[in-house]
Amino acid sequence: MKLVVTGGAGYVGSVCTQALLEQGHEVTVIDNLLTGNRDAVPAGAEFVEGDVAEVAADVLGADPDSPRFDGVLHFAAKSLVGESVVAPEVYWYGNVVTSLALLEAIRLSGTPRLVFSSTAATYGEPKTVPISEDAPTAPTNTYGATKLAIDAAITSYAVAHGLAAVSLRYFNVAGSYAGFGENRVVETHLIPLVLQTALGQRDKISVFGSDYPTDDGTAVRDYVHVKDLADAHLLALHHATAGRHDIYNLGSGEGFSVRQVIETCREVTGLDIPVTDAPRRAGDPAVLIASSQRAIDELGWRPQHTDLRDVVSDAWDYTRCLGDRAHAAR
Ligand SMILES: NC(=O)c1ccc[n+]([C@@H]2O[C@H](COP(=O)([O-])OP(=O)(O)OC[C@H]3O[C@@H](n4cnc5c(N)ncnc54)[C@H](O)[C@@H]3O)[C@@H](O)[C@H]2O)c1
């Protein structure tokens, strides 16, 4: 297929672009390099530097009788939960307005398919775990609210305009694939933060909350390997059906506490990782674990890397490689 990937210079987008190229697809990446890196765009993809809201219409064209592309995978977003609470305007504009512009470009160009990166944050504080797609959606932060609003817009475009759409609600993505991984200036994700601490790039790792009703008192999350996520995107592209918007949760189905993640990072790296306890963060639920049963049943998704050690080992290979590059550049 001929595909546009927005956000293909970022973490998940670069891994998915690489996986799409390996499957023989032609990929054009749109990215404004806000949080992404030019050298993360895989060789073999075309690169258009620009904001999705500004360049999508030009890239996709405006001849619905002869669409230039078979589909769009939309990863581009702002995704810092804390920032979204203090600067909601940046998120409503950057995520929702941008995605509406993309949906219009898709409609006017006659592009038939869309796969969208939604998130577990659309559910907010769950009443039961594991979380299925039928769980109530009640986001506790602006980031989650913007993703839920985009999901609603996609549903109405599917119904009214026949778009074939799939939203994938990822839980915590981690790991690396084929030399592509997490490399952000502002890092907030647990595994890269712990591994940067192991490398001495940070003094210590803060554990936010040790008094949760969990086995060791720290928050429990579901870590899904980024390559498994890429596989789900490939399946979603083929599954997407005109006039429908299907939503799937993607996680490993297993929860690990913050302390378990840190311990696994110690085992994998063989290094000391200093830890400090900090208060809970507002809106951080105790336990978030996905039920991915619908993706397993309907997409035929078979996650291969559900062992946390595998996820951490792949993340460590990438983080160490980045550390070596930074050292060599000094
Ligand atoms: N990483 C996770 O654990 C996780 C979990 C759930 C959902 N998600 C979603 O997955 C997607 C990818 O996440 P990620 O971790 O790879 O993020 P990332 O920040 O690494 O990548 C996002 C990319 O989009 C680009 N971008 C942002 N706004 C843009 C715009 N308006 N125009 C063009 N490019 C733009 C950035 O420069 C960056 O390259 C996001 O939509 C995110 O909300 C991620």
Side-chain angles (χ1 to χ4, degrees), residues 6-14 30-37 48-55 74-80 93-95 98 116-121 143 147 168-174 181-184 189 224 226 229 233:
T6 74
Y11 170 44
V12 183
S14 61
I30 299 176
D31 201 298
N32 62 4
L33 303 181
L34 185 75
T35 54
N37 306 292
V48 177
E49 183 173 345
D51 195 288
V52 170
E54 286 161 17
V55 305
H74 181 33
F75 300 92
K78 293 186 64 68
S79 54
L80 298 177
Y93 189 87
N95 289 353
T98 300
F116 173 59
S117 303
S118 189
T119 167
Y143 165 65
K147 290 284 184 169
L168 300 175
R169 291 190 172 154
Y170 321 155
F171 282 60
N172 289 55
V173 191
E182 286 181 270
N183 180 15
R184 306 183 189 88
H189 294 86
V224 54
V226 70
L229 212 64
H233 285 77

Side-chain angles (χ1 to χ4, degrees), residues 12 16 25 62-63 83 116 126 135 149 158 169 185 194 197 199 221 224 231 245 249 259 289 310:
V12 183
C16 287
H25 298 290
D63 181 0
E83 184 186 59
F116 173 59
R169 291 190 172 154
V185 173
V194 175
T197 309
L199 275 180
R221 295 290 180 267
V224 54
D231 292 345
H245 178 206
N249 290 347
R259 288 210 201 287
I289 300 173
D310 276 3

